[in-house]
Amino acid sequence: MSAENKTITIDPVTRLEGHARITIHLDAGGAVEDARFHVTEFRGFEKFCEGRPLWEMPGITARICGICPVSHLLASAKAGDEVLAVSVPEAAANLRRLMNLGQIIQSHALSFFHLSAPDLLLGMDADPGTRNVFGLMAKEPDLARDGIRLRQFGQEVIEILGGKKIHPSWAVPGGVRVPLSEKGRDAIRERLPEARRISREALDLFRKIAERFAEEAAVLGDFSTLFLGLVAKDGGWEHYDGTIRVMDSEGIRVADGLDPRQYRSYIAEAVEDWSYLKFPYYRERGYPDGAYRVGPLARLNLCDHMPTPLAEEARQAFRATADGKAVTSSFYYHYARLVEILAAVEEVERLIDDEKTRSPRIRAEAGVNRSNGVGVSEAPRGTLFHDYEVDEHGLITRVNLIIATGQNNLAMNRTVLQAARHYIKGSAIPEGFLNRIEAGVRAFDPCLSCSTHALGQMPLQVTLYGPKGEKLDERTRD
Amino acid sequence: MKVTTLTINGELVSASPGTTLLEAARENGLDIPTLCAIEGLSTVGACRLCLVEIEGSSRLQPSCVTAAEEGMEVRTDSDRLQRYRRMALELFFAERNHVCPVCVANGHCELQDRARDVGMDHVRVPYRHPDLSVDITHERFGLDHNRCILCTRCVRACDELEGAHTWDLAGRGRNTHVITDLNEPWGEALSCTSCGKCVEACPTGAIFHKGSTVAEMEHRRDRIRFIAQARGKKEWTP
Ligand code: SF4
Ligand code: FES
């Protein structure tokens, strides 16, 4: 930024609680020079955990990061496994996988059907009063109902495993606390056919409407970045274990087989004074060139195949849209999410009937055998790292968490910048711009409270600044 | 046997001699909320939750340590008492760091139960947020001072039932805290027999089974009464 441009820092007084805040800066020629997506959540969380016993961490992290509790529960339990230096019983690993699949289904269904489908099916310029799940219900009642059912299915898988009440502490260092009951297995099995139908139909629907959004797909987050995520040992799609793979936009592998526990050797984190969310980047490429994306889009770009037949077919069709390169438009996060829902439904089916899942051995007991542990899993939104250091008895002395939304932070900022460059001409914020920005940010499904209001639009404030830092225009909506 | 006759909340009740007001009330089907008292151990009157009004005395009396006397007129649930109890509970919450949603005893905590009973939905005094430690040096158990309400149940269970007297109180006023042996880490306390009675007795998540995660800690507090009865009266009734 040039010297005459003012640095905007987050002002806790003027910032709107629960609003996503975006600032856009014009250069002397009136062109968009920079745009920023300010995140004012996530403070002091890591400090809070210091001094706590390791065994409480799954429950604590699940409760404090309330938007995807299951993901934190699992990553934390995995970090705990490392500290105990145990390998969890096979049944426990399968059960944790099942819960993560339930989480992927419910979270993706929420993102697609409740939060994004109104935009996609009713149009981005539809009346904001009806551009929500209720409007969807009125216009596409079957689809809306299906979306709700699919999400319920995912939630049911989670509840059947974890129970409503004990849910925050179901997974523990060493395994899980309760096995899957016969009754629970039957209940899941019964709902599988419907879940499979809904996920297939949603995929078909998306393929049909995707063309309508060619402009949005090109200007809302289509750029080259790296992609990072877990892949299975055989290179297949992975959500719970495996090793880290990194790929560039050309589809070329930058790194493969990286040990997730060594994440510090290849991921670094930058800090900016205008965001509480850190900016992780791929170390070797520097900041900000090492920007990478995680989540559904990354996972589908990275893996060689899906574990189940229908999902593999869908993955091939998805990758074919990019001619062998990586799919780079963030708009296609939606597409990737739908492929993953299908994969998750198929995987649930496989796992509940797997003999190993039925073993009563579900928890390995051990004391503290290592002074640190890193647990990594794929949350619906992307790779999640929990990194703990403990004293000899197991009290936490240091915590570092790298969350999916953080890793997508650079890409979300670039999405906002790309949208601003495309839509802003002159010194005013045009009508409809907020909807576009909202759709651009939503594609990443960030875990910010402002973006996860299930009903209605995202509370948003966009401010446009001139070259001297003077405010030119501002639009806010609640 | 001579019985004592008194009135509780306007009702004439009888009590066997030597009983406390709390016992007299409970024998007659009237409950008074308690925290530090637990069946099977001596009473100390530490928490002040069981306060009652006695006609002719302007001071409130802890019923768990006040003897039932002939002709006493006692009230257990006046508005004033309800206000006091609620305040006492709020002070417990404000004094240390009780974070129910992430506590091992969430759902199995007597402090939480009592707060729910009186409809305590918030705390009106400022929280102290003291900087307290957690001791998990013992092989099987842990102690979290953040959650201790200084009821001394652990001290009494260890002393009166196990006879080890590992636990004690140290410090004064707001610095009072429980210690093991001569303020050594629990894992190094030689007198501890690892019997686990303190774990069962503790009303909150302050003493817990090591390895417990959120809401996992279920104290079996009725065991304290069971052991006391078995020891004292050779009666092994559940
Ligand atoms: S540790 Fe538990 S039993 Fe002991 S004094 Fe504190 S609250 Fe009471
Ligand atoms: S129960 Fe009587 S003072 Fe605690």
Side-chain angles (χ1 to χ4, degrees):
Chain A
M1 266 201 186
S2 63
E4 60 178 8
N5 276 13
K6 217 171 120 214
T7 314
I8 315 290
T9 43
I10 297 166
D11 178 348
V13 181
T14 58
R15 86 165 197 252
L16 285 166
E17 207 55 61
H19 281 61
R21 187 154 173 267
I22 283 157
T23 55
I24 299 161
H25 309 260
L26 302 182
D27 65 15
V32 173
E33 179 180 55
D34 200 4
R36 291 166 175 184
F37 178 50
H38 303 256
V39 177
T40 53
E41 301 183 25
F42 307 112
R43 260 200 311 178
F45 170 67
E46 285 141 334
K47 271 263 162 289
F48 183 88
C49 302
E50 283 172 19
R52 300 312 313 168
L54 168 74
W55 299 269
E56 291 181 8
M57 289 299 285
I60 293 179
T61 53
R63 277 290 162 89
I64 294 177
C65 282
I67 291 174
C68 43
V70 172
S71 311
H72 285 284
L73 182 67
L74 295 178
S76 180
K78 287 188 77 183
D81 301 342
E82 287 294 313
V83 172
L84 307 189
V86 295
S87 65
V88 306
E90 275 181 318
N94 273 2
L95 291 168
R96 287 184 185 174
R97 277 180 180 276
L98 265 176
M99 186 177 265
N100 205 27
L101 293 165
Q103 166 78 346
I104 288 173
I105 294 168
Q106 81 87 12
S107 174
H108 283 3
L110 177 74
S111 165
F112 182 76
F113 291 94
H114 300 233
L115 301 176
S116 293
D119 268 358
L120 301 177
L121 293 168
L122 310 176
M124 291 196 195
D125 295 311
D127 170 10
T130 58
R131 202 167 43 91
N132 53 36
V133 82
F134 298 117
L136 191 66
M137 206 87 90
K139 210 173 152 217
E140 305 272 354
D142 291 340
L143 183 85
R145 202 172 315 115
D146 276 356
I148 293 169
R149 294 280 299 170
L150 188 61
R151 176 160 189 239
Q152 269 174 0
F153 171 68
Q155 282 169 324
E156 248 184 61
V157 172
I158 297 170
E159 273 175 31
I160 284 171
L161 289 165
K164 255 197 188 125
K165 264 182 83 188
I166 65 155
H167 152 129
S169 53
W170 174 76
V172 288
V176 301
R177 286 174 54 197
V178 193
L180 173 60
S181 67
E182 207 58 54
K183 211 172 118 223
R185 179 178 300 116
D186 291 345
I188 295 175
R189 192 179 292 121
E190 199 174 300
R191 290 194 68 167
L192 275 166
E194 184 193 35
R196 197 175 321 107
R197 172 188 66 76
I198 298 172
S199 23
R200 293 181 73 170
E201 287 176 7
L203 252 175
D204 289 342
L205 174 76
F206 183 86
R207 290 197 193 111
K208 254 183 257 150
I209 60 171
E211 290 145 43
R212 276 191 237 155
F213 294 94
E215 183 188 355
E216 281 84 359
V219 301
L220 294 177
D222 192 0
F223 39 69
S224 60
T225 59
L226 300 173
F227 295 95
L228 182 146
L230 291 174
V231 291
K233 269 202 203 85
D234 65 355
W237 181 75
E238 180 57 75
H239 61 94
Y240 170 75
D241 232 337
T243 54
I244 297 280
R245 183 179 277 180
V246 185
M247 177 188 264
D248 69 14
S249 292
E250 297 298 307
I252 301 186
R253 247 176 243 177
V254 174
D256 199 12
L258 298 176
D259 183 350
R261 288 172 294 198
Q262 303 298 327
Y263 76 94
R264 282 167 178 278
S265 67
Y266 47 88
I267 294 172
E269 294 178 276
V271 178
E272 297 277 6
D273 61 0
W274 45 271
S275 178
Y276 287 141
L277 198 53
K278 286 182 270 187
F279 293 80
Y281 60 95
Y282 187 62
R283 200 180 272 279
E284 210 181 271
R285 300 267 165 117
Y287 180 75
D289 293 345
Y292 62 88
R293 278 177 275 183
V294 295
L297 182 68
R299 290 191 290 255
L300 285 206
N301 277 329
L302 290 164
C303 72
D304 303 331
H305 52 85
M306 302 303 278
T308 52
L310 292 178
E312 171 57 11
E313 239 178 83
R315 184 197 69 88
Q316 286 176 11
F318 169 86
R319 285 297 301 272
T321 63
D323 263 338
K325 296 184 179 174
V327 179
T328 53
S329 171
S330 301
F331 183 74
Y332 274 52
Y333 265 101
H334 297 302
Y335 192 167
R337 237 168 245 130
L338 295 172
V339 177
E340 286 199 328
I341 293 180
L342 184 56
V345 170
E346 288 187 284
E347 273 288 277
V348 167
E349 181 161 23
R350 187 182 67 78
L351 281 171
I352 56 168
D353 285 323
D354 184 346
E355 208 42 56
K356 284 183 234 136
T357 313
R358 296 172 186 235
S359 157
R361 237 177 275 256
I362 52 171
R363 186 171 181 175
E365 305 274 353
V368 173
N369 292 309
R370 281 200 195 112
S371 60
N372 69 302
V374 178
V376 184
S377 70
E378 287 287 337
R381 300 174 169 84
T383 322
L384 174 63
F385 298 81
H386 276 220
D387 176 3
Y388 306 156
E389 251 165 47
V390 298
D391 72 6
E392 54 179 316
H393 303 290
L395 287 184
I396 298 283
T397 54
R398 188 189 58 79
V399 172
N400 191 39
L401 305 182
I402 302 190
I403 60 168
T405 299
Q407 294 165 93
N408 282 333
N409 201 5
L410 279 168
M412 286 194 293
N413 271 279
R414 281 174 68 175
T415 300
V416 170
L417 177 61
Q418 190 178 39
R421 288 209 166 122
H422 184 80
Y423 293 105
I424 294 194
K425 313 260 182 290
S427 56
I429 301 167
E431 191 71 45
F433 179 67
L434 267 60
N435 295 351
R436 298 297 182 294
I437 289 271
E438 175 183 359
V441 171
R442 269 220 202 291
F444 294 89
D445 191 22
C447 61
L448 310 168
S449 53
C450 59
S451 63
T452 46
H453 286 298
L455 307 171
Q457 52 190 6
M458 182 175 192
L460 197 60
Q461 183 182 55
V462 178
T463 316
L464 184 63
Y465 291 97
K468 298 204 170 63
E470 72 280 18
K471 192 196 277 189
L472 300 175
D473 196 8
E474 184 165 82
R475 276 180 192 260
T476 305
R477 62 162 203 221
D478 299 306
Chain B
M1 189 166 62
K2 196 174 164 293
V3 297
T4 312
T5 314
L6 65 161
T7 7
I8 302 182
N9 299 339
E11 263 181 66
L12 211 55
V13 302
S14 53
S16 24
T19 53
T20 61
L21 283 176
L22 175 65
E23 287 163 328
R26 286 191 175 164
E27 272 169 30
N28 287 280
L30 287 160
D31 197 31
I32 300 174
T34 54
L35 261 179
C36 65
I38 180 171
E39 255 193 281
L41 300 179
S42 64
T43 47
V44 288
C47 74
R48 312 316 258 192
L49 219 62
C50 67
L51 290 179
V52 293
E53 289 175 355
I54 298 174
E55 191 61 41
S57 156
S58 60
R59 285 183 50 201
L60 302 175
Q61 302 291 342
S63 61
C64 68
V65 289
T66 307
E69 281 168 25
E70 189 63 32
M72 259 184 177
E73 279 179 46
V74 181
R75 258 181 317 274
T76 68
D77 60 355
S78 67
D79 284 351
R80 176 159 77 130
L81 287 169
Q82 313 247 2
R83 272 202 317 277
Y84 268 77
R85 280 182 198 136
R86 174 159 175 169
M87 186 41 84
L89 285 165
E90 287 181 28
L91 291 171
F92 277 126
F93 277 93
E95 195 173 18
R96 295 201 175 179
N97 306 305
H98 299 275
V99 191
C100 299
V102 295
C103 176
V104 292
N106 189 10
H108 313 284
C109 171
E110 290 182 46
L111 179 63
Q112 197 180 37
D113 291 346
R114 295 297 84 77
R116 195 180 306 116
D117 293 346
V118 302
M120 191 197 102
D121 49 7
H122 68 287
V123 172
R124 289 164 295 183
V125 292
Y127 285 88
R128 281 188 55 228
H129 294 302
D131 191 5
L132 298 170
S133 62
V134 179
D135 179 348
I136 51 171
T137 56
H138 191 283
E139 206 190 328
R140 289 167 47 207
F141 312 128
L143 164 70
D144 185 347
H145 290 285
N146 292 288
R147 303 172 184 146
C148 174
I149 57 168
L150 299 172
C151 69
T152 71
R153 282 187 189 182
C154 52
V155 179
R156 286 172 283 146
C158 187
D159 179 56
E160 297 168 19
L161 293 183
E162 180 64 8
H165 204 117
T166 303
W167 292 96
D168 220 324
L169 290 182
R172 283 165 176 277
R174 58 159 60 169
N175 295 321
T176 313
H177 58 281
V178 290
I179 54 166
T180 42
D181 275 5
L182 296 168
N183 204 4
E184 277 133 322
W186 194 354
E188 289 162 32
L190 292 176
S191 69
C192 177
T193 64
S194 302
C195 72
K197 292 187 187 68
C198 54
V199 187
E200 307 296 15
C202 183
T204 69
I207 302 183
F208 54 90
H209 288 292
K210 202 161 145 184
S212 299
T213 174
V214 172
E216 193 182 18
M217 186 57 223
E218 283 185 52
H219 303 267
R220 294 183 53 195
R221 299 177 186 112
D222 56 330
R223 284 191 147 191
I224 297 298
R225 183 196 54 77
F226 176 86
I227 296 169
Q229 197 158 306
R231 259 183 67 143
K233 302 191 188 144
K234 307 273 179 255
E235 277 173 19
W236 285 270
T237 49

